[in-house]
Amino acid sequence: MSEVRARTLPSGVSDPGAVDAVIVGAGFAGLYMLHRLRGLGFSTRVYEAGSGVGGTWFWNRYPGARCDVESLEYSYSFSDELQSDWKWTERYASQPEILSYLNHVAERFDLHRSIQFETRVTAATFDEAANRWIIRTDRGDRVSARFCIMATGCLSAAKIPELEGIETFKGKRYHTGHWPHEGVDFTGQTVGVIGTGSSAIQSIPEIARQAKQLFVFQRTPNFSVPAHNAPLSADVIQDWNANLASYRNMERTSAFGFMHEPSTKGALEVAPEERQREYETRWQRGGFHLIGAFTDILVSKDANDTAAAFVRSKIRGIVRDPAVAEALMPTSYPIGTKRLCVDTHYFATFNRSNVTLVDLQASPIEAVTTAGVRTSAAEYSLDSIVFATGFDAMTGALSNIDIRGRAGVALKQKWYEGPRTYLGIMVAGFPNLFTITGPGSPSVLSNMVVSIEQHVDWIADCLAHLREHRLALIEATLDAENAWVTHVNDVGHQTLFPLANSWYMGANIPGKPRVFMPYIGGVGPYRQKCDEVAAKGYEGFILSQAATYA
Ligand code: NA7
C-alpha cells in the first residue's frame, strides 16, 4: 500500500482517490495515529485546519501558555530514540517548546507528506452500500476512507461568549485559543481580560507586565496552585532516564496518567496539624499534587472543604487588599471539580497597581460597547479585549463537523442529550469511526499524551486485527454503549464533579446538556478494560463482513 502524498495535491482540487484511513487533526493524537498506521502499511491522509502541526499547541499561543503536566511526562513514550534525543528545558514546558517538539516529531518521522494543511473537514458520511466514509473538506476535497479517525482534540472549538455589542467594539479582540502567530504587544494599552480559567490565569501575569492598565473580568473565581516552574536540573533528567520504563509504567497504570505520590489516608482521618503539613508540602512542591494529598478530596465534601480552605488561606496570604482577596476566593464549588489551575504569580499579580479585578458576580457585564465593556456598575474603556472564555469542550469539535452514520443519522442528533460512546472510542451506529480521547474516556482528566497513546495503540491494533481477519467493519453495539454510558455516569456521580458548573459538565455552553463527559474511573483501570475488551475479541463490538484490502 502506498502512502498518499497529500502535500503534492493541488489544494482545492477534489481527490478522487480512496485511502484506508482519514485522520482529522494533526496534534499529539493525529501525528501518532498517522505514524502507527503508516507503520502498519495503511494508506492514510490527515486533514488539518492549521497551517502547521501541533493542534492545541499550534493555536494557543497566548502569553504564558504552558502545559501544567510536567514536560518529561507530557511527551510521547513510543520511541526510545525520541525520548533520549529530545531535551526538555523546564519542569513545565512552554507552548513554543511543545510546538517545537511536535514539529521535531513530524520531521523525524517524516509525517508532513501525509498531512493536508489549511483544510478543515466539514462532513463525514457513512456510505452503507460501500461500507466506507466519505469525507469532505472546506477546500472541496472528497475522499473515501474505510476508517475515519477523529483526532480533533477535546479543547479545540473556541467559545466567544454571546455578549451584546461584541461586533461593535472598535479596539482589538483576541481569543486565547486563536492567538495571532506574530504575538501581541500590549505595551501602553488598557486591556480587558474576560475569564479566569487556566488560559486567563496563565496569561494575566504576563499581560499585566506589559499593559498600562489591566482589567480582569471575573465571573467565577478559580482555585489555582503554584507551578514552581524552573529549569530542569541534570539530576531530575538523570533520574528520569534511569527509571524511564518504570516511570512510564506508573503513568499508564495510575489514576490520572502522571506520577504522583499516592495518599493512603482520608483528609479527616488525620489531625488538623498533619493535614496542614501535607497540604503545605504539596503546595511547596507545586502543580496538581495538592489534590492528591488525601484519598477522598474528590469524593467527600467535608474532605474537600479542608483543601479548599487551605487554598483560600493561601490567597488571603498573597493578595494584600482583603476585599480583592475575598473576591478571588472560590466558594461556590468543590476544589478540583472545575479544572484546577496551575499558575506562576497569578494571585500576586493583583497586588500590582495597574491591575484591577472586576467582580462580575457583583456587577455582571451588560454589553460590549464601541469603547470597551459595560457592567451594571461601570463602563471600562479598553484598547484590547482578550477573551479567555474557553471552549465547547469534548464535543464541540465533533459537532462542528456534519458526521452522519447509518441511515444518515447525525452524531449531533444522537448526542442531543449528551455524548454517548462505548469506551469513549466508538459510537453505536457509526461503524469504523473512532474518537481519540472521546467523551466517556479519561481524556481531559488525565495526562493527555498518555491517554492519546493508549487510544492510538488500541485503534491501530484494532485495524490490524480487522485486516488480519479480513473484516470490513467494527461497530459498537447499542447495549455495550448504553452500559458504558451508565457506568461513566455512575462513577462520575460517586464524585463531587457534578456539583460544579464546569466545562466537564457542559455548563459553559448555553443549551448544552448537563452531563459529566469524561470518565473518572482512572487511567489504569480504563486501560485494563480496553485491553480486556480487545482480548475477548472486541467484546461489545460487532465485527463483520469479508473485505478486500488493497
Ligand atoms: P475555561 O477554563 O473554560 O475558562 C473560561 C473562563 O471564561 C471562565 O472563567 C469562565 O467563567 C469565563 N467566561 C466564559 N464566558 C463568560 C462570560 N460570558 N462572561 C464572563 N466570563 C466568562 O477555559 P480556558 O481556556 O481557561 O481553559 C480551558 C482548558 O484548557 C483548561 O481547563 C485546561 O485544561 C487547558 P465561568 O467559570 O464559566 O463562570
Side-chain angles (χ1 to χ4, degrees), residues 30-354:
L31 292 178
Y32 181 42
M33 192 77 246
L34 169 60
H35 177 64
R36 278 301 316 270
L37 292 189
R38 190 186 276 174
L40 288 166
F42 287 105
S43 62
T44 307
R45 177 170 315 155
V46 180
Y47 291 111
E48 166 55 55
S51 58
V53 301
T56 286
W57 303 105
F58 177 87
W59 298 107
N60 286 266
R61 299 173 187 236
Y62 59 84
R66 194 176 284 285
C67 186
D68 39 23
V69 173
E70 298 192 26
S71 56
L72 292 169
E73 300 195 56
Y74 192 80
S75 60
Y76 290 120
S77 67
F78 69 83
S79 159
D80 288 344
E81 296 74 22
L82 173 64
Q83 295 200 84
S84 67
D85 287 356
W86 184 264
K87 308 284 180 236
W88 294 105
T89 63
E90 293 178 273
R91 179 179 178 189
Y92 294 97
S94 67
Q95 175 271 332
E97 189 167 22
I98 300 172
L99 189 57
S100 303
Y101 171 73
L102 288 170
N103 275 304
H104 169 81
V105 169
E107 291 294 333
R108 183 178 190 117
F109 297 103
D110 188 24
L111 301 179
H112 285 105
R113 66 187 160 90
S114 301
I115 306 171
Q116 188 170 317
F117 291 104
E118 297 180 324
T119 307
R120 189 172 283 281
V121 168
T122 53
T125 311
F126 186 64
D127 175 349
E128 288 193 74
N131 283 333
R132 295 183 73 85
W133 283 91
I134 306 300
I135 288 107
R136 291 186 172 80
T137 76
D138 64 353
R139 304 192 75 157
D141 306 274
R142 179 190 181 280
V143 66
S144 151
R146 184 173 298 284
F147 303 104
C148 181
I149 303 172
M150 295 298 178
T152 40
C154 297
L155 294 157
S156 50
K159 175 71 186 153
I160 299 264
E162 284 133 30
L163 292 171
E164 191 194 314
I166 281 190
E167 299 304 323
T168 65
F169 179 59
K170 292 267 194 299
K172 296 269 191 205
R173 281 183 285 149
Y174 306 97
H175 188 286
T176 47
H178 279 285
W179 204 256
H181 287 200
E182 63 279 14
V184 181
D185 183 1
F186 290 112
T187 308
Q189 290 195 23
T190 300
V191 181
V193 173
I194 300 183
T196 47
S198 287
S199 305
I201 281 177
Q202 290 187 335
S203 56
I204 282 167
E206 300 287 325
I207 296 173
R209 268 198 283 277
Q210 266 192 359
K212 183 173 78 184
Q213 177 67 38
L214 172 63
F215 292 102
V216 176
F217 294 89
Q218 172 189 273
R219 189 165 67 180
T220 312
N222 247 306
F223 289 101
S224 189
V225 293
H228 298 313
N229 187 37
L232 271 177
S233 72
D235 288 353
V236 169
I237 296 172
Q238 201 191 351
D239 175 67
W240 174 257
N241 291 336
N243 297 288
L244 191 57
S246 77
Y247 286 171
R248 288 301 196 186
N249 191 49
M250 280 163 75
E251 289 172 353
R252 292 183 190 121
T253 53
S254 68
F256 296 107
F258 52 83
M259 295 193 301
H260 60 280
E261 249 169 68
S263 48
T264 52
K265 292 178 187 159
L268 302 173
E269 285 168 30
V270 301
E273 304 73 39
E274 184 182 340
R275 194 162 57 227
Q276 192 71 8
R277 252 198 321 276
E278 185 65 22
Y279 286 141
E280 186 61 40
T281 305
R282 288 179 184 250
W283 178 272
Q284 293 309 334
R285 200 164 158 210
F288 293 131
H289 298 283
L290 184 100
I291 216 74
F294 296 101
T295 51
D296 49 0
I297 290 179
L298 291 173
V299 293
S300 152
K301 179 71 169 59
D302 289 344
N304 189 285
D305 284 346
T306 66
F310 175 82
V311 175
R312 283 195 288 267
S313 73
K314 286 292 183 188
I315 299 172
R316 200 175 289 119
I318 297 168
V319 180
R320 282 190 218 114
D321 180 330
V324 176
E326 198 62 36
L328 284 166
M329 287 181 207
T331 51
S332 60
Y333 59 93
I335 184 170
T337 59
K338 276 168 95 95
R339 174 65 146 66
L340 183 65
C341 302
V342 179
D343 73 89
T344 299
H345 308 313
Y346 173 65
F347 292 116
T349 297
F350 291 90
N351 293 332
R352 294 176 67 106
S353 58
N354 69 332

Side-chain angles (χ1 to χ4, degrees), residues 452-489:
I452 282 168
E453 282 192 329
Q454 185 247 330
H455 267 190
V456 167
D457 287 336
W458 193 95
I459 294 167
D461 292 349
C462 174
L463 266 53
H465 174 92
L466 296 177
R467 183 174 60 186
E468 190 188 331
H469 294 87
R470 320 299 294 170
L471 296 160
L473 291 181
I474 178 164
E475 184 173 1
T477 68
L478 202 54
D479 283 349
E481 182 178 274
N482 287 340
W484 183 251
V485 171
T486 302
H487 174 64
V488 170
N489 279 325

Side-chain angles (χ1 to χ4, degrees), residues 3 24 259 389 484:
E3 264 304 331
V24 187
M259 295 193 301
T389 43
W484 183 251

